[in-house]
Each structure stands twice: as structure tokens, then as C-alpha cells.
Amino acid sequence: MSANHKKRLAMPRSWAGARKTTVWISKPDPCGHSLDLCMSLAVVVRDELGLAQTKREVKRMLATRELMVDGKVPKSADRGVGLMDVLTIGDQNYRCILDQSGKLRYPEISAKDAKSKVCRVNGKNTVSGGVTQYNLHDGRNILADDANLYKTGDSLVISLPDQKIISHVPFADGTNAYLVGGSHVGTIAAIQSLTVKRSSMENEVSFTDFGTVERNVFVIGDTKLPEVGE
């Protein structure tokens, strides 16, 4: 079996597919998303949305430019479709989110909502010329002259497909955040405070009724996410 497949029994818990239907499942091509936060385009279209019967059909849809991810036609049917990505199939649009069981879901969204996405700033570094490169959660890199323009943990709302920054959502007290890990995964709550640890321990974020580590927090501000049923 080729390297772009893995056994269904060993697939990440976030993948919603049945584990005992077939032995193998397509693995997404390497991309900016971690393996547990994205699924192969072919698997999403065929298994999750039921809009194709086989991977061959998905490849035909790509050839006719019926499929787009974040406003662009992917080169491969195994392109990863991950957290906050927009999948377009003809006139229908879908957003990848996590439900409250921690499963990746692809609910339908409006054409207006499909024109933008929220990206978390996961880090930053200096590249040649003294320019600051901001690294976003989906593998994108944004260049800016100001090293203090955005902080790690902030989010940027970008337009699709041209990737222009529409707005900046700072990681701050009172800001709405989407939980992408922990026991409250899939819920939205307002940040109460951030506790910075001066050790190897992870920073902690407090909400009204609970707390979690900083890596589980994805600030979204006023952005509306689609709801999914349990």
C-alpha cells in the first residue's frame, strides 16, 4: 500500500469516518495543517459529504474545476482540507470546523462567509531583509515590516482567494475564542484571563466556568462559525 494511505483503525480520533468499513483510508498530502486537524479532499467529498462515489469521481470534479479549497483549485485529490478551510463544490460552500466531540465536520456556509477565513498566528520569525514573517495555522506566511504588528496567539481574518488581511483579532481578555482541544472542544467562550508560566509548563487561559492551555484557544472575535448537530 502506498505511503498516502493509512489503516482506518489507526486514523486520528478527529476523523469522523467509520473505522471498520475498509482497511485503508487516504491520508492527506503534507500541508500546513497537522494530521489530526485535516482530512483528504477525496475523503471529505466522498465519505463526509456523500457527493461522490469513488476517488476517481473526485479527480474528475477537480479536472472540471468544480472543487476549490480556499478559492483555489487543488492539484491533488489528497489535498488536506483542515480547520477553518473553505471547501467549494459548484455553488455550495463548506467550512471545516470541530464539533463538541472533537470530530472534523464540514457544515454548509453562505457564499458571503466563503469569501473569508480566520487564521491563527502560530509564530513569527525574521527573514532576509529584516522582514517579519508571521506563520499562520494553515501553513500560510504573511510578511510585514513591523515585528510587533501581531502577536503569537492573535488571529487574522483574510479574504479568499487573494489572502488580503481584512481584520486583526488580538488575543485579549473579553475576546471570543473557539476551543480546538481539551474537554470543551468545539465550544465558543469569552477569554477571562491569560496566565503566563515562567517555566516549561504551558500558559493557561481562564474562561467563566473552566480553564485550558493556550494551544487549545483559537480567538475568533465576532466571526460566526456554522453550527453542527451532535
Side-chain angles (χ1 to χ4, degrees), residues 120-170:
R120 182 174 63 187
V121 179
N122 279 355
K124 57 183 178 179
N125 56 282
T126 303
V127 296
S128 59
V131 176
T132 299
Q133 177 177 275
Y134 292 92
N135 312 121
L136 306 186
H137 83 281
D138 62 354
R140 298 172 199 269
N141 297 310
I142 301 291
L143 298 177
D145 293 328
D146 189 348
N148 298 310
L149 195 58
Y150 312 117
K151 296 180 180 179
T152 298
D154 289 356
S155 288
L156 303 176
V157 180
I158 65 171
S159 60
L160 300 175
D162 52 11
Q163 304 187 70
K164 293 181 178 179
I165 298 174
I166 299 173
S167 62
H168 166 220
V169 185

Side-chain angles (χ1 to χ4, degrees), residues 96-139:
C96 176
I97 61 172
L98 287 162
D99 67 15
Q100 293 186 15
S101 297
K103 302 290 187 183
L104 291 169
R105 302 293 184 185
Y106 299 83
E108 192 168 356
I109 59 174
S110 67
K112 179 182 178 181
D113 289 342
K115 292 180 180 179
S116 65
K117 68 181 288 189
V118 186
C119 295
R120 182 174 63 187
V121 179
N122 279 355
K124 57 183 178 179
N125 56 282
T126 303
V127 296
S128 59
V131 176
T132 299
Q133 177 177 275
Y134 292 92
N135 312 121
L136 306 186
H137 83 281
D138 62 354

Side-chain angles (χ1 to χ4, degrees), residues 33 37 82-85 95-98 117-122 136-138 153-157 169-172 175-181 186-191 205 207 212-223 225:
H33 295 287
L37 287 180
L83 187 65
M84 299 298 182
D85 285 354
R95 172 92 61 196
C96 176
I97 61 172
L98 287 162
K117 68 181 288 189
V118 186
C119 295
R120 182 174 63 187
V121 179
N122 279 355
L136 306 186
H137 83 281
D138 62 354
D154 289 356
S155 288
L156 303 176
V157 180
V169 185
F171 191 112
T175 303
N176 284 335
Y178 181 56
L179 281 298
V180 296
T187 60
I188 297 174
I191 296 172
V205 182
F207 296 88
T212 189
V213 291
E214 188 177 10
R215 61 183 161 84
N216 291 338
V217 179
F218 193 124
V219 294
I220 60 172
D222 296 329
T223 301
L225 296 182

Side-chain angles (χ1 to χ4, degrees), residues 9 19 26 29 56 75 77 89-90 121 136 182 189 201 218 223:
L9 288 175
R19 294 178 181 271
S26 294
D29 292 336
R56 186 185 297 272
K75 296 180 180 180
I89 306 175
V121 179
L136 306 186
M201 296 179 65
F218 193 124
T223 301

